[in-house]
Amino acid sequence: MLERFRTAWAAVMAPPANLLNRWGVSPDAVTIVGTLGVLVGALVCFPQGWLWQGAVWVTLFVIADGVDGQMAKSSGRASNWGAFLDSSLDRLGDAAVFGGILLYFTGPRDSLLWASFALAALAFGQVTSYVKARAESLGFTCTGGLAARADRLLLILVGAFVAGLGVPYALEAVLVVLTVFGAITVVQRILQVRRQARAAQAPVGSSDPVA
């Protein structure tokens, strides 16, 4: 099912990707513009309490995350640099989305409790991505878990959209789920790497080049 979805999504992204390639737009430019759009939407709309508007705005620019990859593949310009840039800016966009929600709960919503959940969801999401990157830099496989990046982003945007339409505690419920699932995912990935390290009888290096 996942493979069919990816095939269908690639087909949807192909026309705009081909058009931008014909216009001479680089995939990196699309990546940067998409991230800037997410930053503006998340950090302007969410803190003001414009939840459904912010969710729609951010979703439109998140689509650019699919367009740039399709552009790179179809034009033969896929590169390690492009993958690095895309992944790095994804982290920035994610932080802006959850940061904007946090500011909403410290501002219009005025709830320290739910602001704390937004911070926890943000932290676990960032650590989930870090654990994967760190593990792969050491030669391990680190995938899966209850809350991968796409899952987190989908849930928080749906939660914000529904809450903006007036459904009570929709966003709060999503934050609880993301916090719990995020914590579980971090543990799952750490244990996954630990099993591989034990099987290979190779200790994980203590140095941390990412820090």
Side-chain angles (χ1 to χ4, degrees):
M1 182 178 294
L2 180 59
E3 188 61 34
R4 287 199 298 270
F5 174 79
R6 288 175 177 170
T7 301
W9 182 248
V12 171
M13 292 294 101
N18 292 335
L19 179 62
L20 290 171
N21 278 330
R22 286 198 297 271
W23 287 349
V25 179
S26 74
D28 289 351
V30 175
T31 300
I32 293 170
V33 170
T35 300
L36 290 175
V38 170
L39 293 178
V40 171
L43 296 178
V44 171
C45 294
F46 291 148
Q48 299 296 326
W50 304 334
L51 297 180
W52 74 263
Q53 297 93 329
V56 171
W57 177 283
V58 170
T59 299
L60 290 175
F61 281 94
V62 164
I63 292 175
D65 190 47
V67 174
D68 59 359
Q70 187 70 20
M71 288 174 63
K73 290 177 182 177
S74 62
S75 64
R77 289 185 284 181
S79 65
N80 289 336
W81 158 251
F84 168 80
L85 179 67
D86 185 58
S87 180
S88 298
L89 294 186
D90 279 349
R91 304 288 83 72
L92 188 60
D94 293 354
V97 171
F98 283 90
I101 296 296
L102 190 156
L103 291 174
Y104 163 68
F105 282 111
T106 58
R109 188 69 167 78
D110 192 21
S111 172
L112 180 60
L113 171 64
W114 295 113
S116 299
F117 270 100
L119 179 60
L122 168 60
F124 281 123
Q126 295 294 314
V127 173
T128 295
S129 297
Y130 171 81
V131 168
K132 176 180 174 66
R134 178 65 170 141
E136 291 179 346
S137 74
L138 296 172
F140 296 111
T141 299
C142 187
T143 58
L146 291 176
R149 178 183 180 258
D151 304 321
R152 297 193 303 270
L153 199 56
L154 175 63
L155 283 173
I156 195 66
L157 291 177
V158 169
F161 181 80
V162 173
L165 295 180
V167 178
Y169 294 102
L171 185 54
E172 290 85 345
V174 166
L175 288 175
V176 171
V177 170
L178 287 175
T179 298
V180 173
F181 281 16
I184 293 173
T185 300
V186 169
V187 173
Q188 286 177 318
R189 291 189 171 185
I190 290 175
L191 292 178
Q192 184 183 48
V193 173
R194 183 169 179 263
R195 286 193 296 270
Q196 293 174 63
R198 282 189 166 184
Q201 296 182 342
V204 178
S206 59
S207 61
D208 190 347
V210 181

